[in-house]
């Protein structure tokens, strides 16, 4: 039957091309939006995304904190106090502060300084994101990291050894990261002492305690919450999800992208549905003839279903190829589309919904078609 | 001669809102093997309704239809489809070849529906078309065949499952005089080989081929032409549009 379905598709070339283009546009739009959302959510995770995942398993922050991009001040004594909890392997202080960077050409830009100490630099940068330099260099006096993609934000070439001022204090870039960025600004990672120096933060003040655990991080977070008042402990995953949810809702990005996706699915469903219906209507005499000579509804529905499935496969493959092409094209500009296996699966299901679901109208037409119609 | 299809006091009423139209008055006829039965009538007389009833394509409003002693009135649509597939071959007025498929694939369709493998269906269909003198046209799409060739493909498709009954709806309407003779000779030969061939037409030139003629006028079926003038063939009206 698949050969017959292919013959039907090839016979109606213009409409078939229209159907495939409709699927490609819908799936590409949905995919591009979801992949962009994936990229944006990775930025929204902010300091959590850029922290060293091997050591920053639990985040302890002020109990008023709702997301990682706005942390309150804690007392540094908490670092040792939390270490006494059973199941905690090690604790690390993290300090985050806003600053202004000024380059020798006079260009200035706001940055977020993230400080934590050697050897692990628990608050970041994530070692996997370092493309030049060694993380230990950040412990040296006035050394900071800068991100490759922030060159355009700073309007200044970013490379190791670049000298500039942070809050009017001399600083040097010793580590280059790739995509260790935040949603609201550019991150520069450094040692705790450097961060305090640049932001004039008190030595007793920190913004988070990062906890490395021996046991299940979820249990440790619960223990900390039960033991300490005025703080909240989250596993890094929970804190990231909470942060992303808060940013998505407060920035309306979720609503904006979500409505665009819904619109693309609905319009795709109806455009494909009507084109399939029209294509079936054009061949109604053929379907009527098949019914008259002995084909039952099940056979004909299978034939239509197969056609829509073939359209879905072709449309999906082209849309995904375009999506990967776009990903390659936008990577250089710093837009790192997140095309994950889960996203591909979601897109495949949406393609099937648009295409196979769209065949509903055609199937209804065929179900009601009377075999006697061929005699008219 | 055996009776393969029997209509007992069958009528057909079409309803449209509050209106009722009796397309066929109560009718009883027998369709027999080894016979070429002609159903003759003008456009709109009800002859296609009669053909649809014999072909198990529609249900009667009242009366009984038997196919090989099987009463079809209470069969489901799927059971009727199966019955048509196994017992009846259709030749349509405008051939009704499936346009995206080649001549060979058109003939293969009933066999594939019956569950034959593609290879088996292809072998049988190829032989059927060769028998019709179309061995050079197996891979042609219907649009690349002449009217006569299309009709022969349609006949091959109707015969390929070896049905007992061949129903032809205005089989000569789209053909030139030369092709009409070829097709009618073929159909006559089929009836002589043991098939029950039923032809619905408004072309009374086909009478000479018939073993049995039913005349249909205004839904009334008779074995005698009560309105002879109604059947004078008008070549300008080669396409009828019956209900």
């Amino acid at each position: 039957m698949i050969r017959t379905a292919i013959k039907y598709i090839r016979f109606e070339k213009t409409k078939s091309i229209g159907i495939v283009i409709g699927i490609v546009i819908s799936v590409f739009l949905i995919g591009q939006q979801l992949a962009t959302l994936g990229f944006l959510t990775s930025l929204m995770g902010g300091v959590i995304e850029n922290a060293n995942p091997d050591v920053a398993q639990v985040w302890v922050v002020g109990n008023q904190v709702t997301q990682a991009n706005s942390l309150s001040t804690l007392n540094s004594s908490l670092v040792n106090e939390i270490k006494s909890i059973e199941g905690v392997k090690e604790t690390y202080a993290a300090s985050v502060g806003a600053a202004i960077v000024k380059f020798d050409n006079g260009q200035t830009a706001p940055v977020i300084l993230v400080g934590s100490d050697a050897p692990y630099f628990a608050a970041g940068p994530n070692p996997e994101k370092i493309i030049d330099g060694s993380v230990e260099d950040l412990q040296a006096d006035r050394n900071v990291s800068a991100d490759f993609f922030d060159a355009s934000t700073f309007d200044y070439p970013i490379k190791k050894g670049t000298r500039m001022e942070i809050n009017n204090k001399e600083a040097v870039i010793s580590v280059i990261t790739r995509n260790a960025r935040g949603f609201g600004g550019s991150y520069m990672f450094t040692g705790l002492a450097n961060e305090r120096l640049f932001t004039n933060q008190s030595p007793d003040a920190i913004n988070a305690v990062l906890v490395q655990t021996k046991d299940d991080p979820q249990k440790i977070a619960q223990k900390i919450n039960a033991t300490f008042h005025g703080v909240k402990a989250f596993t890094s995953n929970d804190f990231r999800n909470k942060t992303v949810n808060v940013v998505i809702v407060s920035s309306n990005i979720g609503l904006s992208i979500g409505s665009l996706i819904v619109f693309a699915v609905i319009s795709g469903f109806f455009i494909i549905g009507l084109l399939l219906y029209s294509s079936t209507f054009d061949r109604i005499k053929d379907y009527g003839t098949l019914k008259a000579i002995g084909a039952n509804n099940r056979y004909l529905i299978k034939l239509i279903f197969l056609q829509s499935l073939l359209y879905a496969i072709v449309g999906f493959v082209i849309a995904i190829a375009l999506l990967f092409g776009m990903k390659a094209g936008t990577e250089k500009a710093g837009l790192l589309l997140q095309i994950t296996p889960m996203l591909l699966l979601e897109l495949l299901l949406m393609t099937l919904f648009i295409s196979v679901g769209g065949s509903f109208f055609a199937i209804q037409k065929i179900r009601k078609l009377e075999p006697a119609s061929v005699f008219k | 001669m055996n009776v393969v299809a029997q209509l007992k006091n069958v009528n057909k009423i079409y309803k449209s809102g509050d209106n009722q139209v009796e397309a066929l008055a109560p009718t009883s006829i027998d369709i027999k093997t080894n016979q070429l039965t002609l159903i003759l009538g003008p456009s709109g007389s009800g002859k296609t309704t009669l053909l649809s009833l014999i072909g198990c394509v529609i249900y009667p409003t009242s009366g009984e239809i038997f196919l090989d002693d099987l009463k079809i009135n209470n069969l489901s649509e799927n059971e009727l489809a199966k019955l048509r597939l196994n017992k009846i071959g259709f030749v349509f007025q405008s051939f009704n070849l499936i346009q995206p498929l080649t001549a060979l694939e058109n003939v293969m369709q009933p066999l594939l529906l019956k569950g034959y493998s593609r290879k088996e269906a292809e072998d049988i269909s190829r032989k059927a078309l060769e028998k019709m003198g179309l061995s050079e046209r197996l891979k042609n799409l219907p649009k690349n065949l002449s009217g006569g060739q299309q009709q022969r493909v349609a006949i091959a498709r109707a015969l390929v499952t070896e049905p007992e009954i061949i129903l032809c709806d205005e089989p000569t309407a789209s053909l030139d005089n030369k092709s009409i003779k070829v097709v009618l000779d073929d159909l006559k030969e089929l009836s002589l080989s043991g098939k029950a061939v039923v032809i619905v037409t408004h072309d009374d030139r086909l009478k000479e081929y018939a073993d049995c003629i039913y005349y249909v006028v205004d839904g009334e079926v008779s074995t005698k032409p009560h309105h002879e003038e109604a059947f004078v063939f008008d070549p300008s009206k080669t396409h009828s549009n019956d209900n």
Side-chain angles (χ1 to χ4, degrees), chain A residues 3 7 285 289 291-292 372, chain B residues 57 78 84 94 96 105 118:
Chain A
R3 287 191 200 187
K7 289 255 175 179
K285 193 176 168 188
T289 303
K291 232 174 180 178
Chain B
V57 172
N78 278 348
R84 290 196 296 272
S94 46
N96 284 40
E105 288 163 336
R118 201 167 175 88

Side-chain angles (χ1 to χ4, degrees), chain B residues 38-212:
Chain B
L38 205 63
I39 298 172
L40 198 58
S43 293
S45 60
K47 60 185 189 299
T48 300
T49 300
L50 181 57
L51 182 81
S52 301
L53 288 163
I54 299 168
C56 304
V57 172
I58 55 174
Y59 292 96
T61 305
S62 65
E64 294 173 324
I65 299 175
F66 293 89
L67 228 68
D68 276 347
D69 298 328
L70 175 70
K71 188 177 170 183
I72 67 113
N73 296 55
N74 300 324
L75 296 183
S76 68
E77 281 188 20
N78 278 348
E79 286 168 329
L80 282 189
K82 198 172 174 185
L83 198 67
R84 290 196 296 272
L85 184 61
N86 291 315
K87 301 268 183 197
I88 303 166
F90 288 93
V91 178
F92 302 97
Q93 180 177 341
S94 46
F95 322 126
N96 284 40
L97 295 181
I98 294 160
Q99 295 302 309
L101 305 182
T102 63
L104 181 65
E105 288 163 336
N106 261 281
V107 179
M108 287 164 65
Q109 285 305 298
L111 295 169
L112 294 173
L113 288 171
K114 283 190 83 168
Y116 282 70
S117 73
R118 201 167 175 88
K119 174 84 176 63
E120 284 173 321
E122 199 172 315
D123 290 345
I124 296 167
S125 303
R126 191 183 295 274
K127 281 175 193 158
L129 282 169
E130 282 168 2
K131 209 171 160 186
M132 287 282 173
L134 291 168
S135 51
E136 303 295 313
R137 302 282 175 191
L138 301 178
K139 302 285 179 194
N140 284 40
L141 289 174
K143 65 180 179 183
N144 298 326
L145 297 171
S146 70
Q149 287 169 334
Q150 287 189 55
Q151 191 62 297
R152 276 183 279 158
V153 175
I155 292 171
R157 183 177 67 186
L159 297 176
V160 75
T161 55
E162 300 187 349
E164 289 177 309
I165 308 168
I166 315 291
L167 298 183
C168 310
D169 181 27
E170 303 277 5
T172 57
S174 308
L175 300 180
D176 56 37
N177 286 338
K178 191 180 161 194
S179 300
I180 288 173
K181 187 175 179 337
V182 173
V183 167
L184 262 295
D185 285 344
D186 285 348
L187 292 173
K188 182 68 187 173
E189 200 180 312
L190 274 172
S191 71
L192 293 173
S193 70
K195 304 286 182 193
V197 178
V198 181
I199 297 177
V200 159
T201 185
H202 64 283
D203 183 351
D204 67 348
R205 293 179 301 174
L206 272 52
K207 277 173 163 178
E208 61 178 288
Y209 293 93
D211 301 305
C212 169

